[in-house]
Amino acid sequence: MTPGGIQRALALWCPDWSLLATRTEHGLDPDVALALMDKGRVVARSAAADVEGVTVGLRLREAQARCPGITLLPHDPLRDARAFEPVVRAVDEVIPGIDVRRPGLVAVHVAGAARYYGGEEVAARALADQVRGVAGLVDVRIGIADGIHAAELAAQTTTAAAPLRVVPAGASRAFLAAMPLDVLADLPGAGPELVTLLKRLGLTTLGDFAALPGSSVRARFGVPGMQAHDLARGREVAPVRAAAAPSDLTRHVVFEPGLERIDQVAFGCRTMAEEFIATLTTRQLVCSQVLVSVFTDDDTTTGRAHSDQVWTHPRHFSSTEVVDRIRWQLQGAASTALAAPTTRQGAVIRVEIAPLALDDAAAHAGGLWRDGPADRIHHTATRLQGRLGHDGVLTAAIGGGRLLAERTQLRPWGEAAPSATIRKADQPWPGSLPGLAPTLVYDEPVPVRLLDEVRSIVRIGSRGDLSGAPVWLDPGALDPTGGGPRRVTAWAGPWPIRQRWWDPSETRRVDRVQLVDDHDQAWLLLYEQLGTDDEEPWSAEGRYD
Amino acid sequence: MFERLFEHGGVTAALDLAPEPGASPVPDLAALRARIRRLEGAESPGDVIGFGVPEALRSAFPTGLRAGATYAATGSLTLALMLLAEACSQGAWSAVVGLPGLGLEVATRMGLDLDRTLFVPAPGDQWATAVAALAEIVPVVLARPVRLVPTEASRLTARLRERGCTLLLTEQPPSTWPAMQATLHASPAGWRGLGDGHGCLLQRRLAIQVSQRTGRTTRHHLEVS
């Protein structure tokens, strides 16, 4: 404790943490010119990009112009925070009670550690040794001073060659006074505007600013200015809030040797899933979204997950439901491997589950007396899903679109319903079907033949003209009795549907015809000519059963 | 009431509104008396004790479709969908088993609430399990029948009767099934709105022959638009 009532603080700073986290995740070389972009501007750049003249705040085009070979990636604060967690845990092992100021910067009270290690510098060196190497970290800077702000500034004045700076007790004010005003620019609340203003008033260092009377600063700059003034005078604005390090809720199971059968893997994952849910329960948490990663033995060299999938739950997962999701994911991977035989399906060697969405368990507690009807429906539907597979039980919605199969939107039970805006159901769809809708819709149009009087295929020209009036309909596979062509008694069309004519790869020209045959059966047919001599241009879209 | 207070999520929001099958929002005295008579097993002819049916079929089913019974609506999916939509018009949940490619658009136009409908498009060899599980939670199930062992079929109908779940079949089931409560057979009786190269389908007529379990057979005409 120093005379001002400010505790000694240690700040551990990892320079360019966002860049390091991005490099680790994307497997980039440290020498690569890399810049992170946010809202079209550079927010961080690597040393190689700096040499080429890429600066923070530069626009995307300008950065590319200055350094043509630059790698531009979006800045992701969540990735930074995620990658920083191992570092936080490493710090917590040496000095407990940490305060993560932002990804890349941790503050701790140093008094206890200094007593234990016999000096602040010794404690700092022990900390640096512990942290270095965690998550690919090489450059660790530590500053110790009175108060977190001074410690942070002390850490930022260090160099890679001399990564430790200790400002002696009571000397922080003098240390701060010599700093240029620009250090206030990063402060929340103050910002660059305040710095520019102060400079125009003729102030150059924090000492000049601190010398101004507090009442005048408050009158001129308000609360943010007052906070900056307090910091410049060496007072503590936001003290270290000691907290426990976040624990790792991710669980994994390793199979040695690898397992090939899905039920074996599912059985092997059961204990892990139970422990995963039990850990959450002891922390009064429930999980409604998990990430399941399955690693197989054919990709151990790359170290990448063989299959990653996010599973959502309308309530929260129980351990059996987690195992179900793992099984479904393996089944899905097995079916795609069958479809594409070139990708070999290896034995599963590792399964990992990570919670993505956590919630307070109290908000999900069951009723005191009984479950309501909603719970009964949910439990039964989920149980049925466990037997029939994830897409065994579906719920449906009508979406936007012109073709009937497009308008039908089915999704597995428990997955969030897309909103009406995303479904585009409320928008006008020129070309959608008027009048009665068919009771049977074929997912994949079934080929049929529509013939004119002389039994040749009716064709539709580019201007929507029919080559002849439809007289005969051969339902082909759709006629269970195989009765051959039926006479058309009434028909209408063709109604053109022109989709995405502006995109050559996705454009689609379809014409629709409605007709009734002499069996009193009504049909909805689609005409789509894919080649000049397409022998089967007609298909059934739906049937009025 | 309070244990529901903190629930959230798109699925659950709609669920609590579902009344018990067959109950009207404001039960009047006559309906309550009818329910008492139904519980006593002594229905009088005028009571609607099950699910409502379309107006044109009211004379064949004056008391509605019986809860827990099995009906076959053959010949036309339109008829089966109309019966399902009418049965769920009071806000009940429903389920559709083994009917992939069912026209959802026509179902919604008939009044089926898709938010309260579960679809099991391909139950495979678990057909009976799926129907029995759904009978626990929904009052009406629409299904395409499959071949069942006689014991399995009678066990299923017993389960349905016990749970009060009405099963609508889209086809005449194989002979291994117990007899239907009634069989409705629809045959097409003309279309309106479509001409020779112009117009579009606006209305269809169905001729429906209802064969009751008692042997009584009646004929009806249904117009769908």
Side-chain angles (χ1 to χ4, degrees):
Chain A
M1 193 74 78
T2 53
I6 301 175
Q7 294 191 352
R8 296 285 285 168
L10 178 150
L12 183 136
W13 177 53
C14 312
D16 291 332
W17 176 253
S18 310
L19 290 171
L20 187 64
T22 313
R23 260 191 227 121
T24 314
E25 185 164 304
H26 291 265
L28 294 174
D29 199 61
D31 303 330
V32 167
L34 170 73
L36 299 183
M37 308 296 295
D38 190 34
K39 297 183 186 128
R41 286 181 186 275
V42 174
V43 290
R45 77 274 184 262
S46 67
D50 192 28
V51 170
E52 300 284 334
V54 178
T55 54
V56 170
L58 213 59
R59 289 188 173 280
L60 187 142
R61 294 266 173 243
E62 186 74 7
Q64 282 171 328
R66 289 188 189 178
C67 180
I70 196 166
T71 310
L72 295 173
L73 289 169
H75 178 233
D76 182 0
L78 282 176
R79 173 179 57 211
D80 295 356
R82 209 162 49 226
F84 198 55
E85 276 193 8
V87 179
V88 172
R89 276 194 287 276
V91 174
D92 194 57
E93 276 177 30
V94 179
I95 307 178
I98 52 168
D99 183 5
V100 182
R101 309 294 278 199
R102 58 167 192 265
L105 182 68
V106 186
V108 287
H109 288 305
V110 80
R115 272 199 301 279
Y116 179 80
Y117 287 97
E120 288 174 346
E121 279 196 39
V122 187
R125 276 185 223 292
L127 185 62
D129 288 344
Q130 173 80 13
V131 171
R132 207 165 279 140
V134 174
L137 203 57
V138 179
D139 194 3
V140 182
R141 316 284 186 84
I142 291 175
I144 300 175
D146 300 338
I148 169 67
H149 183 61
E152 188 186 331
L153 288 179
Q156 284 174 4
T157 54
T158 56
T159 58
L164 173 64
R165 170 142 192 197
V166 180
V167 180
S172 286
R173 200 162 170 178
F175 165 73
L176 284 174
M179 299 295 269
L181 270 178
D182 298 278
V183 297
L184 289 177
D186 295 336
L187 222 63
E193 295 84 10
L194 180 74
V195 175
T196 322
L197 201 56
L198 291 173
K199 278 185 180 167
R200 274 196 265 154
L201 289 171
L203 307 175
T204 51
T205 61
L206 284 184
D208 297 344
F209 185 39
L212 296 178
S215 54
S216 311
V217 171
R218 174 179 277 276
R220 177 64 183 81
F221 300 109
V223 176
M226 200 61 210
Q227 276 182 5
H229 191 244
D230 280 348
L231 288 174
R233 289 165 59 186
R235 290 193 184 168
E236 192 77 302
V237 174
V240 173
R241 285 185 304 272
S247 62
D248 194 359
L249 296 171
T250 310
R251 289 285 176 274
H252 69 268
V253 62
V254 176
F255 299 113
E256 188 63 51
L259 298 179
E260 288 193 345
R261 281 179 46 192
I262 290 171
D263 48 352
Q264 287 177 327
V265 177
F267 186 77
C269 291
R270 192 171 292 171
T271 325
M272 168 188 65
E274 276 164 12
E275 199 209 328
F276 171 69
I277 297 295
T279 319
L280 293 180
T281 313
T282 51
R283 284 163 195 275
Q284 308 257 313
L285 290 171
V286 291
C287 176
S288 59
Q289 202 175 42
V290 291
L291 172 74
V292 177
S293 310
V294 177
F295 299 80
T296 47
D297 63 356
D298 53 350
D299 51 26
T300 40
T301 47
T302 56
R304 305 285 293 180
H306 176 70
S307 76
D308 273 342
Q309 200 164 342
V310 177
W311 296 94
T312 345
H313 196 281
R315 299 288 178 80
H316 49 83
F317 281 107
S318 69
S319 57
T320 49
E321 284 163 342
V322 172
V323 176
D324 272 348
R325 299 310 186 276
I326 295 171
R327 210 176 54 223
W328 293 343
Q329 184 166 334
L330 291 166
Q331 280 164 351
S335 62
T336 49
L338 285 178
T342 47
T343 57
R344 194 176 70 86
Q345 178 75 13
V348 176
I349 50 166
R350 182 185 166 96
V351 177
E352 220 174 81
I353 42 179
L356 291 185
L358 290 168
D359 203 358
D360 189 359
H364 289 267
L368 191 54
W369 292 283
R370 66 189 176 92
D371 286 348
D375 299 296
R376 274 196 306 132
I377 287 175
H378 174 70
H379 286 152
T380 308
T382 315
R383 211 174 58 224
L384 204 55
Q385 218 172 16
R387 293 186 79 118
L388 299 173
H390 189 223
D391 44 9
V393 183
L394 308 172
T395 49
I398 300 288
R402 294 178 180 86
L403 300 175
L404 292 167
E406 279 175 5
R407 293 177 71 90
T408 307
Q409 296 189 348
L410 295 164
R411 56 180 191 280
W413 170 263
E415 283 192 6
S419 70
T421 338
I422 293 173
R423 284 190 267 139
K424 297 179 184 157
D426 47 355
Q427 290 174 14
W429 287 94
S432 58
L433 183 70
L436 286 182
T439 45
L440 264 180
V441 176
Y442 301 105
D443 279 346
E444 292 291 319
V446 187
V448 295
R449 280 148 56 87
L450 189 64
L451 310 167
D452 60 10
E453 191 62 63
V454 293
R455 307 258 173 151
S456 60
I457 292 173
V458 176
R459 293 188 183 273
I460 298 175
S462 57
R463 302 181 70 105
D465 48 324
L466 286 172
S467 65
V471 179
W472 301 97
L473 168 72
D474 184 0
L478 294 176
D479 189 1
T481 56
R486 304 170 173 190
R487 205 171 180 91
V488 174
T489 56
W491 63 279
W495 299 321
I497 301 169
R498 302 284 177 266
Q499 289 189 309
R500 301 194 183 88
W501 45 264
W502 57 87
D503 185 352
S505 61
E506 285 200 56
T507 185
R508 204 169 170 202
R509 280 178 66 100
V510 185
D511 289 271
R512 193 182 250 162
V513 167
Q514 203 173 39
L515 59 87
V516 178
D517 63 24
D518 57 354
H519 289 51
D520 227 359
Q521 185 102 68
W523 301 82
L524 205 58
L525 303 186
L526 290 180
Y527 177 89
E528 186 172 24
Q529 189 158 13
L530 296 172
T532 46
D533 51 350
D534 189 357
E535 281 304 305
E536 282 189 338
W538 291 97
S539 56
E541 186 189 15
R543 193 168 65 154
Y544 295 82
D545 189 25
Chain B
M1 211 55 214
F2 282 101
E3 78 263 30
R4 311 233 70 79
L5 205 59
F6 299 106
E7 287 202 342
H8 54 80
V11 180
T12 57
L15 304 181
D16 294 337
L17 299 170
E20 289 299 307
S24 63
V26 186
D28 56 11
L29 206 57
L32 288 172
R33 284 206 180 109
R35 278 181 78 176
I36 293 169
R37 280 198 291 273
R38 179 177 149 204
L39 290 172
E40 289 168 344
E43 299 119 7
S44 65
D47 299 339
V48 173
I49 54 162
F51 301 102
V53 290
E55 191 64 48
L57 298 171
R58 199 72 38 98
S59 62
F61 301 99
T63 59
L65 297 185
R66 189 183 286 269
T70 308
Y71 295 85
T74 63
S76 166
L77 266 181
T78 311
L79 171 67
L81 272 178
M82 273 190 101
L83 289 171
L84 181 71
E86 194 69 34
C88 301
S89 62
Q90 298 270 338
W93 279 73
S94 61
V96 178
V97 179
L99 290 166
L102 187 72
L104 298 178
E105 197 125 24
V106 70
T108 34
R109 283 191 209 171
M110 283 175 183
L112 188 72
D113 186 358
L114 290 183
D115 291 340
R116 290 163 183 268
T117 309
L118 296 172
F119 292 87
V120 182
D125 52 358
Q126 309 242 20
W127 191 91
T129 320
V131 173
L134 290 167
E136 302 273 328
I137 49 170
V138 298
V140 201
V141 175
L142 175 69
R144 179 194 292 269
V146 295
R147 184 168 291 281
L148 291 181
V149 192
T151 50
E152 209 174 2
S154 52
R155 204 182 308 137
L156 180 64
T157 41
R159 178 81 167 267
L160 292 168
R161 205 178 311 118
E162 180 202 350
R163 290 284 158 191
C165 171
T166 303
L167 180 63
L168 297 171
L169 298 176
T170 57
E171 283 165 20
Q172 189 65 41
S175 54
T176 51
W177 281 66
M180 301 289 105
Q181 183 74 24
T183 301
L184 298 88
H185 182 75
S187 42
W191 297 85
R192 279 175 64 182
L194 200 61
D196 193 18
H198 55 84
C200 71
L201 291 177
L202 294 173
Q203 200 183 47
R204 80 177 296 189
R205 287 194 208 136
L206 290 170
I208 294 165
Q209 182 180 326
V210 181
S211 320
Q212 304 275 5
R213 191 180 209 162
T214 51
R216 195 165 70 101
T217 303
T218 48
R219 287 173 196 285
H220 307 265
H221 276 278
L222 199 62
E223 288 202 345
V224 189
S225 59

